[in-house]
Amino acid sequence: TTIYILRIQKAGSSLFDEAFRSFFSAEEHSRDLYRRMYKPNHTPRQETSVLRCALREGRLPATIAKGKHRCAQTSAQREGVDNLLDPLPDSMSFAYSYALPDTLTSYNGDEFPGLLERARTYMQNMRLVVGHIRFGYHRLGHRGVFSYITMLRHPVARVMSQWNWFMVSPWPMGSQDFRPQKRNLEGYSIEDWLEDPSLHVYHKSNHMTRVLCGLGTSPPGEYFDEDSGPDNLENVTQEHLECAKANLDNHFSLVFLLENLTDMPVPLRSLPRLLGLTASPHIADQIRPKVAVEYKPLSSLRVESANATPASEPSNQHDDEARSHPPPASDRPVPRRPSVRVQTVLPSHNQARPRVRRPGPPRRRLLAPRDNPTPKGSPGQVFELTEKQTVLIRQQNEFDLLLYEHARALHTESIARVRELMHVRAKRVRWMPTADG
């Protein structure tokens, strides 16, 4: 089974990153295709540059992108295509392309004639793919069956969050303000942005319908990203709305709504375990002990007396005999109030120094500490919409509003499915994916 976590931008996608982070390892790079493309210090590897451009970003090193979006330093590197990575990756932690799969499936360039075949080799071994992608990524290849998981958000709140994300300055991951959206929108207000038909059409106008139906460019095969204009993008129609609904009904095993996520009976980070997704064997050896050690439940407590001596404690082997023949009164220790230490018995692989809560104000907990939730406070951000701004968003997201209402019933069914998985989690979970239609 291949599972695709389709992360819709500004719809709780960072929650999915946090939930499935336990499946990946920050120190191990051999099973994650995305990490194999980079060095431990996050520097791109030259020998895998072609794969990175094609499989992660949807860019191509050939003329199909019309020379406008060539990946840097790829034309002279064939090693990433000719040499198969060993061991074969079985996961991809971060894909970021809405141009895929069309740009790759339409590729017939002479520079890398085996690029599509090599991509299919990798994708047919994937167990889990997580990223900002659109429906249809499975057409690059998958295991015997595939299924998707996603989360939707009310279109008005999502578009407002998208604008605030474009306004973030500086970029949260660094000290430099190199976000192109921030520079291109200088002097714009959110109303100007909404009324300009040439800016970020794919993200501010029926974005969820486009992604879930798999809409790309017309004709297909052209590269585009979140900054592309409407020149080559398909216009969203009622037919595309029905397409998105059909995909949700037939190919998505779990569909959540961000506003109703409190309905989840377990934290979202428990989802990989309920779905039967476990870490790769070599990663599991690092996070779980190889020698099985019996331990008590977390609720059990052990009370130790600080002034107790070994002679005064009967052994387990002669427990009955010690009770039947107590020592004389003169040999008994003087009864004193013992100083008691209460210790929580934790699993052996989690034996760490207990965390001490220091006095002071409570620390703010982020939804995804290692991800990039939209920081607040940058100039231009909006947190309360006017009536005109709300009307503009609703007019441009007519089909997203209908799709969101359709997803309400799917959210309820997904919560019920999670409850069913909780009841069978002690067994090997055999998930119910959908066949390739």
Side-chain angles (χ1 to χ4, degrees):
T1 302
T2 301
I3 301 175
Y4 298 91
I5 309 299
L6 193 153
R7 299 175 56 215
I8 298 177
Q9 287 201 22
K10 316 319 300 175
S13 60
S14 295
L15 296 177
F16 276 136
D17 256 8
E18 184 182 19
F20 286 87
R21 184 177 294 129
S22 61
F23 183 81
F24 305 101
S25 169
E27 295 80 18
E28 184 58 51
H29 304 272
S30 61
R31 305 293 288 187
D32 182 1
L33 179 59
Y34 172 70
R35 296 190 185 278
R36 291 289 296 274
M37 298 173 182
Y38 292 84
K39 299 177 182 178
N41 60 353
H42 303 287
T43 302
R45 293 182 182 273
Q46 180 65 23
E47 62 272 17
T48 59
S49 57
V50 178
L51 292 176
R52 184 176 70 252
C53 294
L55 277 175
R56 179 184 179 268
E57 302 175 14
R59 301 173 185 258
L60 293 173
T63 56
I64 192 171
K66 296 183 178 179
K68 299 179 181 179
H69 301 281
R70 290 175 62 95
C71 275
Q73 301 177 352
T74 58
S75 58
Q77 293 294 327
R78 298 186 57 90
E79 184 178 352
V81 177
D82 294 339
N83 298 333
L84 190 65
L85 297 177
D86 183 31
L88 198 62
D90 63 0
S91 60
M92 188 173 180
S93 59
F94 194 80
Y96 198 126
S97 176
Y98 298 109
L100 286 171
D102 296 341
T103 54
L104 193 51
T105 55
S106 302
Y107 174 71
N108 354 339
D110 297 331
E111 287 182 285
F112 302 95
L115 180 58
L116 179 58
E117 290 73 16
R118 177 62 73 223
R120 292 192 185 280
T121 302
Y122 288 125
M123 300 311 298
Q124 288 171 359
N125 193 57
M126 290 291 162
R127 301 169 59 199
L128 178 66
V129 177
V130 182
H132 291 300
I133 56 179
R134 60 186 171 107
F135 181 82
Y137 202 94
H138 62 276
R139 291 198 281 120
L140 292 177
H142 56 84
R143 293 194 178 192
V145 289
F146 72 91
S147 192
Y148 284 79
I149 298 175
T150 194
M151 184 184 303
L152 283 73
R153 186 178 185 180
H154 194 279
V156 175
R158 198 205 66 79
V159 172
M160 182 179 68
S161 181
Q162 187 73 67
W163 164 262
N164 289 337
W165 177 243
F166 286 159
M167 289 291 101
V168 169
S169 176
W171 175 260
M173 298 178 64
S175 59
Q176 301 296 324
D177 180 12
F178 59 88
R179 289 184 62 82
Q181 297 88 357
K182 177 69 175 181
R183 293 195 302 268
N184 297 339
L185 293 173
E186 186 175 357
Y188 275 72
S189 67
I190 186 172
E191 290 184 16
D192 298 334
W193 176 65
L194 291 171
E195 292 175 344
D196 192 330
S198 63
L199 292 174
H200 310 112
V201 176
Y202 198 81
H203 279 65
K204 71 180 181 182
S205 175
N206 293 307
H207 175 68
M208 294 189 294
T209 303
R210 295 177 186 271
V211 169
L212 295 174
C213 182
L215 267 70
T217 59
S218 180
E222 296 291 335
Y223 175 81
F224 72 98
D225 57 19
E226 59 187 21
D227 298 320
S228 299
D231 297 338
N232 297 327
L233 296 178
E234 293 186 70
N235 294 322
V236 185
T237 64
Q238 181 70 30
E239 182 181 357
H240 296 131
L241 172 63
E242 299 303 323
C243 164
K245 290 181 179 180
N247 288 337
L248 285 177
D249 294 340
N250 299 325
H251 298 291
F252 284 75
S253 293
L254 294 175
V255 177
F256 301 110
L257 299 181
L258 179 61
E259 288 80 2
N260 298 344
L261 202 58
T262 53
D263 298 341
M264 280 282 289
V266 293
L268 197 64
R269 63 177 177 269
S270 302
L271 195 57
R273 178 174 55 87
L274 294 179
L275 297 177
L277 288 172
T278 57
S280 300
H282 66 290
I283 299 179
D285 292 341
Q286 299 177 10
I287 63 178
R288 287 193 293 269
K290 293 183 179 181
V291 180
V293 180
E294 184 178 358
Y295 59 89
K296 298 179 182 180
L298 291 176
S299 59
S300 65
L301 299 178
R302 182 174 61 202
V303 181
E304 297 180 356
S305 177
N307 63 340
T309 59
S312 64
E313 296 181 0
S315 64
N316 294 332
Q317 298 177 356
H318 305 285
D319 188 53
D320 296 336
E321 182 180 354
R323 289 195 180 95
S324 59
H325 300 285
S330 59
D331 296 339
R332 297 177 186 174
V334 178
R336 292 190 305 171
R337 183 177 181 180
S339 59
V340 178
R341 181 178 65 185
V342 178
Q343 176 183 357
T344 303
V345 181
L346 299 174
S348 58
H349 62 278
N350 202 16
Q351 287 283 6
R353 178 178 295 182
R355 299 178 61 181
V356 179
R357 176 65 179 174
R358 298 180 179 178
R363 293 186 301 174
R364 181 185 177 192
R365 170 173 168 77
L366 297 177
L367 295 178
R370 287 170 51 187
D371 290 324
N372 300 310
T374 304
K376 295 177 173 57
S378 296
Q381 289 185 329
V382 175
F383 302 102
E384 192 169 336
L385 296 172
T386 64
E387 183 178 355
K388 179 181 179 181
Q389 294 166 355
T390 303
V391 170
L392 286 173
I393 294 176
R394 297 183 70 92
Q395 288 176 349
Q396 298 184 29
N397 292 271
E398 172 190 0
F399 298 111
D400 271 12
L401 290 167
L402 298 174
L403 184 64
Y404 182 83
E405 294 301 321
H406 176 79
R408 290 185 181 276
L410 299 178
H411 172 83
T412 303
E413 295 175 5
S414 298
I415 296 299
R417 184 168 298 175
V418 170
R419 295 184 185 277
E420 294 176 3
L421 292 174
M422 291 175 59
H423 291 302
V424 299
R425 67 183 182 274
K427 303 178 182 179
R428 182 183 179 91
V429 179
R430 300 303 298 176
W431 199 34
M432 298 176 294
T434 59
D436 189 351

